């Protein structure tokens, strides 16, 4: 009996053959999906951070803090318009400025007023203007002069002020303080050598919505990335069978 070997030419011979190369569109799809994954992770991380900030510590958000030390009579900040101050794409609502002197037995004065009013009081007084710097410290511009004519409390029409020993806190509605104003820290009796630390905090009511928007956008991008990556991989598995 003679045996014969028949071959079905309609069935491809896969043994020893290499799988077909990916089309360019599949490669581009996977690359685009990978990029979207990174973007989605960034949005989710940013949204999670902002949501944590907005829901912790009573909703108070720190703008920063720093130490100050001078042998002059006053520490003055640069002018700022609190009514236009923003945090994470939205204007702030409440402002809290906390000043803690190095010596908690020496009464300290903290006040905020218009720049021109403060200039008339401290124009010929030895004081410093502080500028923000890294590592929670500040740099100074020194202004030479003499001692103030009197204590600060009644010298200027302060928009907000506080006096006392230990930590002193100014709290106000940012919208009620339009225009450039400066913060002044002095010893309550107008004596020299003003040292301590200061911290500013704000509330921003729309921050939870901003955080939520970032989280939703991150999830949507993640879903789109999954479609761009998973679909070509499934086709690759199908081709390999």
């Amino acid at each position: 009996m003679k045996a014969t070997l028949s071959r079905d030419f309609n069935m491809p011979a896969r043994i020893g053959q290499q799988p077909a190369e990916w089309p360019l569109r599949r490669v581009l799809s996977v690359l685009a999906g990978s990029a979207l994954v990174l973007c989605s992770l960034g949005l989710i991380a940013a949204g999670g951070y902002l949501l944590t900030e907005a829901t912790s510590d009573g909703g108070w958000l720190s703008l920063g803090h720093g130490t100050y030390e001078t042998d002059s009579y006053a520490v003055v900040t640069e002018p700022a318009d609190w009514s236009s101050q923003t945090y994470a794409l939205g204007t702030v609502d409440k402002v809290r400025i906390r000043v803690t002197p190095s010596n908690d037995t020496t009464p300290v004065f903290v006040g905020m007023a218009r720049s021109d009013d403060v200039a008339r009081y401290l124009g010929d007084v030895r004081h410093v203007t502080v500028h923000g710097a890294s590592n929670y410290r500040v740099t100074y511009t020194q202004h030479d002069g003499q001692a103030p004519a009197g204590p600060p409390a009644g010298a200027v029409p302060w928009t907000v002020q506080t006096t006392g020993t230990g930590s002193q806190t100014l709290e106000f509605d940012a919208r009620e303080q339009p225009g450039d104003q400066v913060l002044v820290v002095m010893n309550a009796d107008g004596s020299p050598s003003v040292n301590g630390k200061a911290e500013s905090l704000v509330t921003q009511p729309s921050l939870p919505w901003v955080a939520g928007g970032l989280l939703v956008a991150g999830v949507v991008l993640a879903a789109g990335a999954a479609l761009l990556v998973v679909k070509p991989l499934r086709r690759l598995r199908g081709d390999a069978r």
Side-chain angles (χ1 to χ4, degrees):
M1 174 180 279
K2 186 176 180 180
T4 60
L5 178 65
S6 63
R7 182 178 179 183
D8 187 352
F9 290 95
N10 292 324
M11 296 181 64
R14 295 183 177 273
I15 300 177
Q17 292 184 0
Q18 297 294 328
E21 294 183 358
W22 273 22
L24 179 61
R25 66 178 180 275
R26 293 190 189 178
V27 176
L28 293 177
S29 178
V30 172
L31 291 177
S34 301
L36 286 181
V37 167
L38 295 177
C39 292
S40 67
L41 291 176
L43 289 173
I44 292 173
Y49 171 78
L50 291 179
L51 187 60
T52 301
E53 288 289 294
T55 55
S56 62
D57 195 23
W60 286 99
L61 312 163
S62 177
L63 294 184
H65 62 273
T67 59
Y68 56 90
E69 183 176 357
T70 176
D71 60 359
S72 63
Y73 293 92
V75 176
V76 183
T77 65
E78 295 178 301
D81 183 354
W82 284 103
S83 66
S84 62
Q85 179 72 47
T86 60
Y87 188 104
L89 306 179
T91 55
V92 304
D93 182 26
K94 302 293 184 181
V95 180
R96 178 183 291 172
I97 300 174
R98 183 182 298 119
V99 174
T100 304
S102 299
N103 186 347
D104 58 8
T105 63
T106 300
V108 63
F109 170 86
V110 185
M112 192 171 69
R114 308 293 177 186
S115 301
D116 52 354
D117 291 330
V118 173
R120 282 192 290 270
Y121 173 50
L122 298 178
D124 58 354
V125 173
R126 180 159 56 91
H127 68 283
V128 296
T129 299
V130 297
H131 314 280
S134 58
N135 299 323
Y136 304 112
R137 298 194 66 84
V138 295
T139 59
Y140 304 98
T141 298
Q142 182 73 47
H143 306 276
D144 294 329
Q146 55 192 4
V156 172
W158 307 101
T159 54
V160 287
Q161 63 172 299
T162 182
T163 303
T165 57
S167 294
Q168 299 299 305
T169 301
L170 293 181
E171 188 171 322
F172 54 89
D173 189 329
R175 292 166 297 183
E176 296 178 355
Q177 301 296 337
D180 286 342
Q181 299 192 63
V182 297
L183 184 74
V184 178
V185 180
M186 299 178 64
N187 292 328
D189 60 359
S191 60
S193 188
V194 183
N195 311 302
K197 60 182 180 180
E199 180 183 21
S200 57
L201 304 100
V202 298
T203 60
Q204 210 271 66
S206 64
L207 189 60
W209 296 100
V210 175
L214 291 175
L215 289 172
V216 171
V219 171
V220 171
L221 283 183
L227 292 176
L228 290 173
V229 173
V230 172
K231 189 175 182 180
L233 292 179
R234 285 182 175 176
R235 287 184 178 179
L236 175 62
R237 293 180 59 186
D239 293 341
R241 291 175 182 174

